[in-house]
Amino acid sequence: MSPAAHAAARALLADPLTNKGTAFTETERDTLGLHGLLPPHVGTLDSQIERRQRALARMPDDFHRYSFLRELQDSNEILFHAMVQRDLPAMLPLVYTPTVGEGCERFSEIWRRPRGLFLSWPNRQRIAEILGDPALDRVKVIVVSDGERILGLGDQGAGGMGIPIGKLALYTACAGIHPSEVLPILLDVGTDNEARRDDPLYVGWRHPRIRGAEYDAFVEDFVTAVADRFPGVLLQWEDFAGHNAYKLLDRYRHRLLSFNDDIQGTAATAVGTLLSAISRTGLALKDQRVVLFGAGAAGCGIADMLVQALQAEGLSEAQARQRIWAVDRDGLILSDMSDLSNGQRSYARDAAETDHWVRTSQGPIDLFDTVANVHPTVLIGASGQHGAFSEAVARTMAQATERPVIFPLSNPVSRAEAHPADLARWSAGRALIGTGSPFGISGVTQVNNIYIFPGVGLGALAAGAGRITDTMFMAAARTLGAMGGDDTLLPPIERLRDVALDIAVVVAAQAVADGVAASDVAIDRDAIAAQMWVPTY
Ligand code: NAI
């Protein structure tokens, strides 16, 4: 063998997109010069999965399993994805929430091999050069984060890269986007997390966050370079802090195919689940009274989409907003409050409304007093405040409502507003419960964006869409809301690929109806299904 052939053989094994490990056949070993580099046994995908599953079962905890799977992904992607796809219920919590939270916090500790791109502030002049890598020629979907608001865990700096990596693994698992077509990106503009900066192992740029005009210019350079390099690419924003999340979404959603999953994906998932829940309560959407706890990016996104859904039932925008009471860190959001975000201001209630409320405390109106006076039928938490849905709150709500709909959405588990088992007990089993993280309790639905974003992305790409409209998300939400099972509000995790396909079809059709699809596109379910990659050798 020539030196070049030896090098090519090693390169083949080192590249996770081409490496098959022991599953290279004798013929492949002959022609590719792999003898000696592999043990003599010729395995199969099945036997490799069996070996890895045994190893996984012996690990002491989920964090070790997460780390093991990340390494597998970086050494053999087909095997990694085959494992994930064959057992989505067991694997999703390991490759994504809740375990990915610790994966981000301890990212530097388990750093092994490069995956995706780190675009750091000191390298800001090199963005186009970095994106120019020919290995990225096939990229169709980018998930980007700046690591500032990772799940409910705050600023994780470069460790936030765990989120784009995890989300894109789910794109492949659920929407069948080929691993060579996805690109995780972390915009490293520093971190204000001092523990990370002081950690000698921290792999990110050790600097307080760049903010203001400099930050905006950096993101602008990034988006411009992405649009130039990857025309038609889908750019998904993940885990940006609220102030940037809205701003960047507003700025870029009309310039390229782009959406913010924390805002729009969460909204569509929550509204879809809500539609499923209220179809069991017998009370029409327009008659629901909704209390939202935590009016940040996710909370306001849910509220905005609810308003859209209510308007579709014939309410005016003002009437629709009147169905929602938003409580944030300073209590019920009222019109006389200063310091409200734009998203929050549109939900501010007239302060006079509360003049005659029976109150248990002075000062800002807290969640309990809001619930006691509003008698909500729906309570949604997106605050990151562990235990905020107290026994008193839940019992008070359940006293006034036959089938309370309660969604403690905050992730990870340690941030959930309530434990679903407690909510079930406090409501005497009458509550319809949806949680952000998986609790493994039967009858409790996991309101996970995984139900929406893969299908929206797949549908938008299939339609050759240039933009993602609100109505495309609404179509996704309605489709999801109609897919629930007998005892859960959403379909089981095993069916996520079917869910993604169903949603992709309606999203693509909506893109055509909204005039944002490619001119010559014909939406064909079988054709979309045929595009979905299945991991086999
Ligand atoms: P965010 O930081 O934009 O919003 C959090 C909001 O909660 C802020 O407005 C903040 O002021 C408010 N808040 C903080 N302390 C509070 C208190 N004591 N009482 C009332 N409000 C308080 O963050 P984002 O993106 O909205 O995420 C919030 C939570 O929702 C996170 O835990 C996240 O993991 C979860 N989430 C869940 C999703 C799902 O289940 N599908 C999807 C996206 C987010």
Side-chain angles (χ1 to χ4, degrees):
M1 261 170 79
S2 67
H6 278 293
R10 285 191 183 275
L12 196 71
L13 297 182
D15 183 345
L17 286 169
T18 54
N19 180 30
K20 301 187 200 175
T22 59
F24 280 108
T25 63
E26 285 293 347
T27 316
E28 287 170 329
R29 293 172 193 220
D30 291 343
T31 50
L32 301 169
L34 299 174
H35 290 294
L37 293 176
L38 295 167
H41 163 78
V42 175
T44 61
L45 191 56
D46 287 338
S47 68
Q48 289 178 315
I49 289 176
E50 167 84 25
R51 180 180 300 114
R52 302 293 175 146
Q53 267 167 346
R54 282 195 202 172
L56 210 57
R58 284 195 297 268
M59 304 263 154
D61 56 39
D62 283 352
F63 175 70
H64 283 84
R65 294 186 182 97
Y66 169 85
S67 178
F68 175 81
L69 288 166
R70 282 283 304 104
E71 284 202 66
L72 176 59
Q73 185 181 16
D74 289 345
S75 63
N76 181 340
E77 293 220 43
I78 293 178
L79 175 53
F80 167 80
H81 284 293
M83 271 186 82
V84 172
Q85 269 189 30
R86 285 191 195 186
D87 194 356
L88 285 170
M91 300 299 280
L92 289 191
L94 297 178
V95 298
Y96 205 64
T97 52
T99 319
V100 71
E102 195 172 351
C104 290
E105 289 177 307
R106 298 171 66 181
F107 186 83
S108 296
E109 191 186 316
I110 59 168
W111 163 263
R112 299 283 185 280
R113 291 181 59 172
R115 169 165 293 272
L117 297 177
F118 289 87
L119 301 179
S120 65
W121 173 261
N123 281 321
R124 62 192 177 283
Q125 308 302 344
R126 299 199 177 99
I127 295 176
E129 176 191 325
I130 294 169
L131 294 180
D133 181 353
L136 307 178
D137 281 352
R138 286 167 49 96
V139 167
K140 285 185 182 167
V141 184
I142 293 173
V143 174
V144 62
S145 181
D146 71 356
E148 188 172 7
R149 199 245 56 199
I150 294 304
L151 305 172
L153 301 168
D155 187 350
Q156 299 301 325
M161 182 56 133
I163 296 293
I165 290 175
K167 278 268 153 111
L168 286 166
L170 305 187
Y171 258 112
T172 301
C174 303
I177 310 286
H178 191 275
S180 65
E181 296 172 347
V182 304
L183 178 62
I185 294 184
L186 192 283
L187 300 180
D188 189 351
V189 292
T191 175
D192 290 343
N193 183 331
E194 289 185 19
R196 293 289 164 271
R197 285 209 310 261
D198 293 345
D199 176 358
L201 295 183
Y202 180 59
V203 295
W205 182 45
R206 266 167 230 273
H207 194 281
R209 274 186 183 273
I210 300 293
R211 296 198 180 275
E214 288 186 314
Y215 174 90
D216 289 350
F218 180 67
V219 178
E220 173 67 25
D221 288 351
F222 162 68
V223 174
T224 303
V226 163
D228 282 354
R229 169 70 168 98
F230 308 111
V233 78
L234 170 63
L235 179 64
Q236 178 169 325
W237 306 87
E238 280 290 338
D239 286 8
F240 284 74
H243 50 279
N244 285 326
Y246 268 102
K247 186 175 68 184
L248 297 177
L249 177 62
D250 283 350
R251 194 169 289 164
Y252 295 116
R253 62 178 301 187
H254 303 296
R255 245 170 74 179
L256 72 170
L257 185 64
S258 179
F259 70 94
N260 180 304
D261 190 49
D262 306 302
I263 299 172
Q264 297 162 287
T266 301
T269 314
V271 170
T273 317
L274 194 63
L275 293 175
S276 173
I278 66 172
S279 70
R280 291 144 213 254
T281 66
L283 192 66
L285 179 64
K286 66 179 173 38
D287 297 320
Q288 304 284 337
R289 289 182 304 280
V290 179
V291 168
L292 173 70
F293 184 72
C300 288
I302 295 169
D304 290 349
M305 194 157 187
L306 257 177
V307 167
Q308 244 191 80
L310 286 160
Q311 286 181 273
E313 295 211 343
L315 270 58
S316 69
E317 188 182 331
Q319 287 169 328
R321 291 190 191 283
Q322 283 300 306
R323 310 308 299 163
I324 299 168
W325 289 258
V327 180
D328 204 77
R329 60 172 77 239
D330 295 324
L332 179 66
I333 295 182
L334 297 172
S335 51
D336 58 4
M337 286 179 163
S338 54
D339 215 20
L340 296 177
S341 70
N342 288 341
Q344 292 171 340
R345 182 152 300 287
S346 52
Y347 295 97
R349 312 281 312 186
D350 186 347
E353 172 187 340
T354 63
D355 283 351
H356 303 292
W357 280 18
V358 178
R359 301 273 306 273
T360 57
S361 61
Q362 295 305 307
I365 301 176
D366 64 12
L367 178 63
F368 176 82
D369 280 348
T370 305
V371 167
N373 287 280
V374 168
H375 305 306
T377 54
V378 177
L379 175 60
I380 297 172
S383 64
Q385 301 302 304
H386 174 74
F389 293 176
S390 63
E391 180 168 357
V393 165
R395 285 194 188 279
T396 303
M397 180 175 176
Q399 266 164 22
T401 309
E402 179 55 30
R403 301 234 54 198
V405 177
I406 310 183
F407 292 174
L409 295 183
S410 291
N411 295 319
V413 168
S414 62
R415 301 287 171 135
E417 284 83 1
H419 195 290
D422 289 335
L423 293 176
R425 214 175 56 249
W426 297 333
S427 66
R430 288 183 284 119
L432 292 156
I433 303 169
T435 58
S437 295
F439 281 84
I441 298 177
S442 90
V444 171
T445 302
Q446 194 194 343
V447 187
N448 190 320
N449 298 23
I450 182 78
Y451 282 106
I452 290 285
F453 74 81
V456 168
L458 181 63
L461 290 173
R467 307 286 178 269
I468 298 191
T469 60
D470 287 340
T471 39
M472 286 159 76
F473 271 104
M474 186 58 89
R478 288 191 193 287
T479 301
L480 180 65
M483 293 179 88
D486 288 342
D487 55 349
T488 56
L489 304 176
L490 297 177
I493 294 286
E494 289 89 334
R495 289 198 49 221
L496 277 175
R497 269 177 94 93
D498 301 334
V499 173
L501 179 57
D502 283 359
I503 288 180
V505 174
V506 297
V507 165
Q510 190 66 47
V512 172
D514 290 348
V516 297
S519 54
D520 54 348
V521 75
I523 306 306
D524 172 13
R525 184 189 173 86
D526 292 341
I528 298 177
Q531 284 171 20
M532 294 170 73
W533 178 70
V534 178
T536 48
Y537 289 136

